[in-house]
Structures are given as C-alpha cells and as structure tokens.
Amino acid sequence: MTWVSPGHIPSTVEDEGRHYIMKPLTAKGKASFQKHATILFLVAPAFILFTTFVVLPVLQSGYYSLFQWKGLGPLNNFQGVGNFIRAFKDRIFRIALYNNVKIVIFSLIIQLPLAFSFALLVARKKYTGSVFFRGLYFFPYVMAEIVIGIIWRFIYHPQHGLPTLFSQWFTADKMEIGLLGDTNLAFWAIFIVVCWKYIGFHMILYIAGLQGVPEELEDAAVIDGASKVQVVFHIIIPSIRNTIIISVFLCIVGSFNLFDIVWAMGQGGPVHSTETLVTYLYNFGFKRFAFGYGSAIAVIIFLICLVFNLFYQKYIVGEAQK
Amino acid sequence: MKETAGITRMKRPSSFAWGKFSLSLFFALLMFFPLYTVLIGGFKTKGQLLSDPFGLPQPWTLESYRAILGKSGVFWGFFFNSVFIAAFTILLVLVCSMAAGIALSKIQFRGRKVLFNYFIMGMLFPLSTAILPLYLQLRGLHLTGTRFGVILAQTAFNLPLSIFIFTGFFREISKDLQDACSIDGGGILTFAWKIMLPLSAPVIATVTIIILIQSWNQFLLPLLVLDDAKMYTIPLGVMQFQGQFTTAWNQIMAFITISVLPMAFFYFTMQKYVVKGLTAGAVKG
C-alpha cells in the first residue's frame, strides 16, 4: 500500500533519521516501522472490506455497463453506450424513471410540507403529549419497508380493505376497490405509504433545525403584529434553510433508491405501472441475468444521485464557508 | 375544526395548546391506524379478521401466535438468522471502523486525509448501484447462499458512515490525555484500549443502533445473496410467509407484530440514541 511511506516524520527528526539510514534497526527506525505496522494493523480490515465490497463493485458496474454479458464467461460483447440507448428506448424503463421523478416531485410538494407542519406542531412550546406524538410520528421510520408494504396491502385489500369498506358505507352496492390492482391508482396507493413511512424522519430533521431558532424571535415578531403565517414564512423557514436543503436532498436520493415498499406491494406491477429504477434493475437485470444491461441501469441511478450529491455538497460546503 | 380555530384566536396560552393538541392527535390517529390494524389483527381469528378487519377482536385469541411461535412455527428460524446477521455485522463494523478511526484521528501519517476521503466517498454510493457486481463478487468468493455473504457486504456498506462518526468523535479526544498516556509508557493501542474505548460508549451505542436497524430491515441484499429459505432473515421470511399463506392474514399480522417488537423495544427505551443515529447520516455536510 503506497500510502504507508516513511515521509511523515517532522522535518527535524527526519534529518536525524537520514543520518541513520544505513542502520535501520536503530531506535528511530524501529519506532517508525512500529508506527507503520500499527497503522496497517488498524486500517487494513476496513480498507480491504470497503474496497472489495463497495469500491470495486461500483467500478465494475461502470465497466460491465458497456457490455452485453450474462455474468459468466468472457466479457467480449462490447456494446459501448448501447445498453444506455436500449434503456432509454424501453417504454418500461421510461415508466420507471417517470415514476421516480413523480415520487420526488410529489414528495417535495406534499410529504415535506406535511413533515414540516408536524415539526411545528410538536417541536415548539411543549404541551402534554407532544413528546409522545413526536415518538409516534417517527416510529414507522424504524420499521422494515417490506413489513410496512405488507401491512398496507392488507389495508388496501380489495375485498376487506379500507377503500372497499368506505365505498360500502357511502354507497349501497357491494363494489370492490382494489387500488393495487389498478394501473392508474397503484402508484398513488404506494405513494401514500412512502409518505407514511418517511414523514417522521423529515419531521425529526426539521425539529433539529428548529432548535437553532430562538423562540424569543418568534415572540418578538408576534408582538410586532406579525401573523402566525408570516412568522412561519419570514422567520422560521429562512432560519432553517440549510435543514430544508438537507431534507430535500435526502428525499430525492431516497426516492431514486426506492425498492422494498414497491416490491412488497406488487413487485412493480400491475403491468409495470409502479416500476421504479431499482425494481427495474432487479426485474430486468438480475432476474434475467442481464448483468451488462442491469449495470447500465445502476450507472444511471448512480449518476442521478451523484448530480444531486455534488449540488448538495457544493451548496452546503459553500454555505459553511461564508 | 372551526371551534379550535376560534379558541386559537383568543391567544390564551392554554387554549392555544389545545388547538395544537387536537391537531396533533388527529395526525397521530392517522399515523397510528396501520399499526393498530396489525396489532389487533394478530389477536383475531381468520374469519373475524376478514369480516371485521378494523374492529376490536371478539374474543381475543392467541391462536395465530401459537401457530407461529409453536414447535412447527416458522418464526424462530428467521429470527435466529436476523439476530445472527445483525450481531456479526455490528461486531465487524465496530471493530473495523473504530480501528480505522483511531489511525485516522490519532496518528499522523502521509496520505491520512486522502485515505479518510476514500472511505467517506462511500457515503455517495447507494447499495443499488453496486448490487449486481457485488453479487458476482460474492459468488466468486463462494459466499452466495451464506449468511456471511450478507454480513460482509453489509459491513462494507456501513463502514463509511461509522468511520466518519468515530473519526470525528476521536478527534475531539484531548491530545493531553494521549500525551499523559505516552509519558506513562503507553503506546497508541494502550491509549485506545484504556482511554478511548470507555469514552466512546455513547457513540458506540449510536452506531450500534444504526447498524442494528439497517441490518434488521435490510431486504435487497439478502434477497440477492440468500437462496435457501433456511437462511432467510425476517423481512425475507415475512415476504415468503405472506406468499405462501396468502389468506392467513391473522398469522401474517402476528408474525409482523413479533418481528417489529425488538425494534419497538429499542426505539422506546433508547429513543435518544435511535433518533440521533438515524439522522446522523443527514448532518454529514
């Protein structure tokens, strides 16, 4: 490993060290050897695991994406950007991408404002139960997405579920409403579940942000005649701008990696109408052993996340330096 | 709604809290409803669950719990696998990331910053982007179909955040302490073992909880790596169980309830650490 080089000793000592260069077994040489052995001993396990199971696979994804390959035998069917073109030409891939974009957009305009309202409700001016409510709102975030998906599948059950029950309350006929079997409605049924799971997480982020806004500031504004709405829009939101950016960023990157909930609620169906990029990757890459094509999808997901990540890093780091 | 709005306008502090309270309660009921459905569902008979899915059980029955937890029950196998995988992942991540964190924070060497950034860069990679080559990698190492395949891959993906947290924490440990230790003849490892480790208890708790919850809930990775139902973790088990007994919803509900219990226990007893841990990745900046 090239980074374990002996050039680290402060210059004065180093000069002394050079003096002994022909006698490596002196106290100093030994100390230096010991130090490097210690570093190697401490860092090697993490370095090896991380490189083998994270860095290499990510790089390999990039390489495999240029080939048509079944995961066995030599990589010789070079496609160039063929896999990427094939993806964008595929109607189902476009549905998956479109669904992801839709989830992002509607999360931004429904889920995050709701989470912000939750935070305002429970973060300021403690009252009986506010801590309990906070705990309850956050709880779904701790649960496995798969489990959540199955619970909601029961709630949406075409014969016994809530939508059917409601329709039977309000109308006389025994109509059955199967949201998850409807190509137009399944997406929205899943979107509700996504909101239910992640609202608490974003709420906690906002609560953390709100702790940095002194309540006196709000009180002063109210005394000056500002309305509650004005306080929210002119004082609170500008003060927690960075938190909001973090939350938006996590929401976007999270949405593009959505898999478990969608999988539990219909594996991307009915008729691919709820496919997301990752379910598409699984259905059309892994299941069909199309490792080249699947890798191309992975690269697309990676690039999308990377773009937002760079924006985010630049913005947040830029803000911090101001 | 109209009433609470009227009270709000009066601006008496106590009545204002009432408005907030009722609104919070309303949302709480909405949020709680799915949990309620599962909780009570496990205590109903199958017939009752389907005829009255959202009402209280009449009478309460432990039949489905008995079916799942009993001798022929499927739960314990999945539970064991989940515990096994979570425990080893936690152990490995803690050992590797603390060791790396010590070197990255307390020893001066050339390339330290580069190495730190190399690890931190890992936070950019979602699991999904590496999953196919990761599968091939594990297959090449004959780790597919084994719990250790899941453990090693999970460990690797948890390292960046853990190293980030530990390195950040270790940096704050005073240099004076280290000097005092070395005057007494202790090397860096003695210092780490005797001083840094005990000081890190709260950070260890935070990291442990992050990994525990992620590992407990992880689905995509074991779905790819494990092929034998004997090795399945709880999320895979629930999914398989649900596919096999599509109409035994009362048992599915009971299954879900017990599988969530450990996490609920951790959550409500150590809420501070859980919330801190799960939002730690968010403030990396």
Side-chain angles (χ1 to χ4, degrees), chain A residues 187-238:
Chain A
F187 173 84
W188 298 107
I190 291 175
F191 178 71
I192 289 173
V193 184
V194 173
C195 287
W196 183 74
K197 159 138 192 178
Y198 287 98
I199 269 185
F201 174 71
H202 292 283
M203 174 196 74
I204 290 287
L205 292 183
Y206 295 136
I207 289 175
L210 283 171
Q211 279 165 356
V213 188
E215 293 195 15
E216 293 78 34
L217 204 65
E218 286 171 50
D219 295 339
V222 172
I223 290 167
D224 288 347
S227 70
K228 285 276 158 200
V229 178
Q230 281 175 321
V231 169
V232 169
F233 281 96
H234 294 288
I235 296 179
I236 296 183
I237 291 182

Side-chain angles (χ1 to χ4, degrees), chain B residues 220-276:
Chain B
L220 183 57
L221 190 62
L223 177 71
L224 258 83
V225 176
L226 303 175
D227 41 21
D228 181 357
K230 280 202 195 91
M231 308 256 178
Y232 278 7
T233 55
I234 285 174
L236 287 168
V238 180
M239 196 69 188
Q240 194 215 24
F241 188 75
Q242 201 269 340
Q244 244 171 25
F245 304 92
T246 30
T247 56
W249 277 103
N250 54 336
Q251 292 191 17
I252 297 169
M253 299 294 188
F255 194 128
I256 289 177
T257 307
I258 350 172
S259 78
V260 176
L261 272 185
M263 291 306 105
F265 173 77
F266 273 111
Y267 177 59
F268 286 109
T269 51
M270 308 179 77
Q271 200 166 349
K272 199 180 82 190
Y273 292 116
V274 175
V275 170
K276 208 168 147 195

Side-chain angles (χ1 to χ4, degrees), chain A residues 3 5 7-8 35 38-39 41-43 45-47 49-58 60-61 64 69 71-72 114 118 120-122 124-125 127-129 133-144 146-147 150-155 157 160-162 165 196 199 201 204-205 222 228 246 250 257 259-260 263-264 267 278 281-282 285-286 289-291 294-295 298 301-302 305-306 309 312-313 316-317, chain B residues 11 16-17 20-21 23-25 27-28 30-35 37-38 49-51 53-54 92 96-97 99-100 102-103 107-111 115 118-119 121-126 128-139 141 143 152-153 155-157 159-160 163 188-189 213 216-220 223-224 235 238-239 242 249 252-253 256 259-260 263-264 267-268 271 274-275 278-279 282-285:
Chain A
W3 43 266
S5 63
H8 58 280
K35 180 171 160 179
T38 311
I39 294 170
F41 168 71
L42 290 173
V43 175
F47 185 86
L49 274 174
F50 179 66
T51 307
T52 320
F53 295 115
V54 180
V55 179
L56 276 180
V58 169
Q60 283 165 331
S61 265
Y64 295 160
W69 188 46
L72 285 170
L114 255 179
F118 278 24
L120 287 180
L121 272 178
V122 296
R124 311 302 255 184
K125 308 215 161 87
Y127 53 92
T128 326
F133 287 136
R134 190 193 295 193
L136 182 66
Y137 296 157
F138 187 72
F139 186 71
Y141 186 71
V142 182
M143 294 169 67
I146 277 293
V147 159
I150 292 175
I151 296 173
W152 280 83
R153 234 162 91 171
F154 180 75
I155 295 177
H157 198 287
H160 318 287
L162 208 53
L165 207 67
W196 183 74
I199 269 185
F201 174 71
I204 290 287
L205 292 183
V222 172
K228 285 276 158 200
I246 291 172
L250 290 171
N257 284 290
F259 176 78
D260 298 8
W263 195 255
Q267 312 198 342
V278 184
L281 165 66
Y282 189 86
F286 183 72
F289 283 90
F291 282 87
S295 294
I301 299 172
F302 175 70
C305 293
L306 184 70
N309 230 312
Y312 166 79
Q313 298 277 350
I316 292 287
V317 173
Chain B
K11 273 186 188 161
F16 178 63
K20 268 191 168 182
F21 180 83
L23 203 54
S24 306
L25 186 67
F27 283 129
L30 277 184
M31 295 295 284
F32 185 63
F33 179 73
L35 302 175
T37 309
V38 187
L49 182 63
L50 297 184
S51 62
F54 306 107
L92 264 177
C96 294
S97 61
I102 291 164
I107 307 179
Q108 289 286 341
F109 59 93
R110 195 200 273 177
L115 188 63
Y118 175 73
F119 282 123
M121 167 189 78
M123 289 201 275
L124 287 176
F125 306 139
S128 58
T129 62
I131 197 87
L132 295 180
L134 182 63
Y135 170 80
L136 296 176
Q137 196 89 300
L138 291 169
R139 194 179 67 183
L141 296 166
L143 285 168
L152 289 175
T155 301
F157 272 88
L159 282 175
I163 289 179
I188 182 75
L189 295 181
I213 292 179
W216 198 262
N217 294 343
Q218 178 61 252
F219 178 70
L220 183 57
L223 177 71
L224 258 83
V238 180
M239 196 69 188
Q242 201 269 340
W249 277 103
I252 297 169
M253 299 294 188
I256 289 177
S259 78
V260 176
M263 291 306 105
Y267 177 59
F268 286 109
Q271 200 166 349
V274 175
V275 170
L278 291 178
T279 48
V283 285
K284 63 189 182 199

Side-chain angles (χ1 to χ4, degrees), chain A residues 165-179:
Chain A
L165 207 67
F166 271 141
S167 86
Q168 286 173 356
W169 275 353
F170 295 115
T171 61
D173 54 343
K174 290 263 171 228
M175 196 168 58
E176 282 179 6
I177 302 181
L179 294 179

Side-chain angles (χ1 to χ4, degrees), chain B residues 78-94 147-148 150-152 154-155 158 207-218 222 226 231-235 262-263 266:
Chain B
F78 299 140
F79 181 77
F80 171 79
N81 292 329
S82 275
V83 170
F84 184 90
I85 289 178
F88 274 96
T89 308
I90 290 169
L91 191 73
L92 264 177
V93 174
L94 285 179
R147 300 184 195 95
F148 273 99
V150 180
I151 292 168
L152 289 175
Q154 258 182 190
T155 301
N158 274 308
V207 172
T208 302
I209 284 166
I210 305 175
I211 305 162
L212 174 67
I213 292 179
Q214 271 181 9
S215 169
W216 198 262
N217 294 343
Q218 178 61 252
L226 303 175
M231 308 256 178
Y232 278 7
T233 55
I234 285 174
M263 291 306 105
F266 273 111

